[in-house]
Amino acid sequence: MADSKASLSIDGKVIAELPILSGTAGQDVIDIRTLGGAGYFTYDPGFLATASCESAITYIDGGNGVLQHRGYPIASLAKEADFLEVCYLLLNGNAPTKAEYDDFKSIITKHTMVHEKLAHFFQGFLPDAHPMAMLCGVVGALSSFYHSDLDIDKPDQRMRSAHRLIAKMPTIAAMAYKYSIGQPFVYPRNDLTYAENFLHMMFSVPAEEYNVSPVAARAMDRIFTLHADHEQNASTSTVRLAGSSGANPYACIAAGVASLWGPAHGGANEACLNMLEEIGDVSRVDEFVAKAKDKSDPFRLMGFGHRVYKNFDPRATVMRETCHEVLADLGVTDPLLDVAMALEKVALEDPYFIEKKLYPNVDFYSGIILKALGIPTSMFTVIFAMSRTVGWISHWDEMLSQPGQKIGRPRQLYTGEIDREFTPLKDR
Ligand code: CMC
């Protein structure tokens, strides 16, 4: 992999020869692992130019709007595969055969129930607790059910954890919602697909029959697929860092949930809907666009922009299509959706957004779809977390399977006080 070398000189003196590594696609990287020996560390807060690991799961070319999982373009996967096929692909490296798919589907379906004791954890939350707070706590609590007999050095045991997490996340997510509205928890049903089952656990009640809408199930499945993985984003990097110490995988996934919650990451879909509510009416769109452009105003258009995609977000292209399909199929009319469409139009045509390459991202459209499906705003990020669980656990598994895996331990540029003499409290 090392084709050439980079020389690092300081004041004209070469202090290190650093190998340049090439992957199968994407930018080459300079391997700086030996730089510490030459007396230097690199400085890259926010990881703007740092490859933190080697990975064969997902490839992104942000400049050209490319996203591929295991080599397959996201648009093909979203249109031609279902979410469980994508889960299998991410976890195992190849698309499943029919027999492998049936087997995988059966394993996931049979792991959807949670231990009855897990339900008790919810009783400790206030009814108005944010469902992401509940998800974070309850997923972390899963580690107490699966810890003593779990050997993360064994690939089959890691895979079993992955299956459990993929299967149980929708159950836990729906329980968080049911708890928040005071309805009884709904058990999963083995005759439903993954997406249907989630909608069933969210919306059915014991008092009457609930039929899952095929439009809603298809849209839900597509939302899951489009959020399944996104290489080394903040939450995935968090899961990797937590897992690098050998920590319990369920606790690592809880760390991923925490990181995803922020409005700059997975919290953007909820923040986007809250923003649409704040705008309230199409007549106020220009006012908010002006606020977003004003440097003295911290307001940003939620659901616009991306750290990696600087031309377009390929997930947003598919999600936009789905969004328009869902709105037409369901015949939904909602003033907020009009605000969203007006905002999309203004932002796509405004020079500020064009010059800064700020486009509607996946969360802009997923928020609108979820709203149209009747999903409460506070559940948006929970649904993102459910979808991303397969990505998180695939990266965790990949990391632990790599030879010579090391605990993640970044360095720092220290700018604090040094060598101060300490005065005892009585003399201060
Ligand atoms: N509205 C208005 N201006 C913006 C926005 C926005 N949403 N996003 C970036 N800018 C401006 C920013 O002010 C800056 O301007 P200038 O160059 O004059 O200082 C320029 O664009 C570059 O912004 P940045 O913050 O340096 O870019 P970044 O790559 O660090 O941040 C981002 C990316 C996603 C955090 C940011 O675009 C943002 O906060 N967007 C809104 C939140 C959002 O929708 N996040 C979801 C991302 S998609 C889901 C996921 O993958 O997690």
Side-chain angles (χ1 to χ4, degrees):
M1 269 211 327
D3 301 328
S4 48
K5 289 196 169 194
S7 297
L8 178 67
S9 335
I10 295 181
D11 296 333
K13 185 167 168 265
V14 174
I15 62 143
E17 296 275 1
L18 304 166
I20 297 181
L21 310 180
S22 304
T24 46
Q27 268 160 284
D28 289 348
V29 300
I30 301 171
D31 179 351
I32 52 110
R33 280 175 289 183
T34 56
L35 197 55
Y40 290 90
F41 295 128
T42 53
Y43 178 62
D44 184 19
F47 302 113
L48 297 175
T50 295
S52 60
C53 63
E54 187 181 317
S55 180
I57 299 174
T58 290
Y59 172 62
I60 297 178
D61 174 352
N64 291 313
V66 172
L67 167 62
Q68 298 184 353
H69 294 320
R70 302 286 192 184
Y72 298 108
I74 188 64
S76 312
L77 294 174
K79 289 178 184 166
E80 288 161 38
D82 75 4
F83 178 62
L84 284 187
E85 266 179 275
V86 175
C87 288
Y88 183 97
L89 173 71
L90 287 167
L91 276 173
N92 297 288
N94 286 306
T97 61
K98 176 77 174 66
E100 285 166 339
Y101 174 80
D102 289 345
D103 187 42
F104 184 69
K105 190 173 175 191
S106 158
I107 293 171
I108 298 298
T109 305
K110 287 179 185 146
H111 278 94
T112 49
M113 276 174 53
V114 294
H115 195 292
E116 280 296 305
K117 290 267 180 235
L118 197 80
H120 296 303
F121 280 87
F122 285 93
Q123 306 310 320
F125 292 109
L126 294 173
D128 63 352
H130 195 287
M132 277 299 274
M134 293 194 246
L135 189 72
C136 197
V138 175
V139 171
L142 276 179
S143 57
S144 66
F145 293 79
Y146 310 107
H147 185 69
S148 48
D149 61 344
L150 173 64
D151 183 349
I152 59 167
D153 292 325
K154 299 218 164 87
D156 61 323
Q157 297 211 20
R158 291 203 297 274
M159 204 45 78
R160 186 130 43 93
S161 305
H163 294 159
R164 282 190 177 128
L165 275 156
I166 294 166
K168 293 182 197 312
M169 281 299 262
T171 314
I172 296 171
M175 287 168 96
Y177 173 59
K178 288 296 195 190
Y179 180 74
S180 71
I181 56 169
Q183 287 186 2
F185 297 142
V186 174
Y187 286 99
R189 265 181 37 192
N190 288 0
D191 61 324
L192 299 177
T193 66
Y194 192 85
E196 287 169 347
N197 205 17
F198 174 62
L199 291 168
H200 154 75
M201 291 187 287
M202 281 286 290
F203 294 121
S204 74
V205 288
E208 62 186 21
E209 191 67 27
Y210 171 79
N211 293 315
V212 182
S213 143
V215 176
R218 207 170 42 246
M220 211 62 245
D221 192 78
R222 201 167 264 192
I223 287 178
F224 294 156
T225 295
L226 291 172
H227 286 92
D229 190 43
H230 212 230
E231 53 117 295
Q232 310 311 323
N233 55 83
S235 55
T236 303
S237 300
T238 301
V239 171
R240 278 185 177 261
L241 193 56
S244 73
S245 68
N248 179 288
Y250 301 91
C252 297
I253 298 301
V257 173
S259 168
L260 188 80
W261 193 359
H265 192 7
N269 48 18
E270 178 178 351
C272 176
L273 249 286
N274 290 337
M275 174 192 76
L276 295 178
E277 258 156 33
E278 198 190 340
I279 299 175
D281 190 81
V282 174
S283 61
R284 297 187 67 207
V285 163
D286 287 344
E287 179 195 329
F288 278 81
V289 169
K291 262 164 78 69
K293 293 184 336 192
D294 180 357
K295 285 283 139 221
S296 61
D297 191 326
F299 174 78
R300 281 187 169 200
L301 282 187
M302 285 294 133
F304 284 78
H306 200 275
R307 165 61 64 79
V308 180
Y309 298 119
K310 296 300 180 193
N311 275 318
F312 66 96
D313 178 341
R315 302 167 301 170
T317 312
V318 185
M319 201 65 102
R320 182 174 193 274
E321 244 176 73
T322 309
C323 179
H324 288 285
E325 268 166 38
V326 168
L327 297 186
D329 280 359
L330 298 180
V332 181
T333 51
D334 185 325
L336 285 197
L337 302 177
D338 297 337
V339 173
M341 292 303 124
L343 194 62
E344 179 199 37
K345 188 166 182 306
V346 174
L348 287 175
E349 289 168 1
D350 189 300
Y352 173 93
F353 293 92
I354 296 170
E355 275 156 30
K356 293 193 184 303
K357 299 184 186 298
L358 298 170
Y359 299 89
N361 56 47
V362 66
D363 284 332
F364 179 74
Y365 297 108
S366 68
I368 298 169
I369 299 173
L370 293 172
K371 163 93 181 145
L373 296 180
I375 308 265
T377 314
S378 61
M379 284 297 290
F380 288 8
T381 315
V382 171
I383 289 171
F384 191 159
M386 277 166 53
S387 323
R388 185 56 58 84
T389 296
V390 62
W392 290 331
I393 204 69
S394 301
H395 281 272
W396 170 80
D397 178 63
E398 179 182 67
M399 175 184 70
L400 292 183
S401 67
Q402 285 166 340
Q405 180 263 324
K406 284 193 181 318
I407 185 170
R409 180 33 172 114
R411 301 298 183 135
Q412 64 168 11
L413 175 66
Y414 179 68
T415 55
E417 301 280 355
I418 199 84
D419 290 341
R420 292 206 281 180
E421 198 157 320
F422 188 76
T423 318
L425 188 58
K426 66 178 172 49
D427 300 328
R428 264 182 273 144

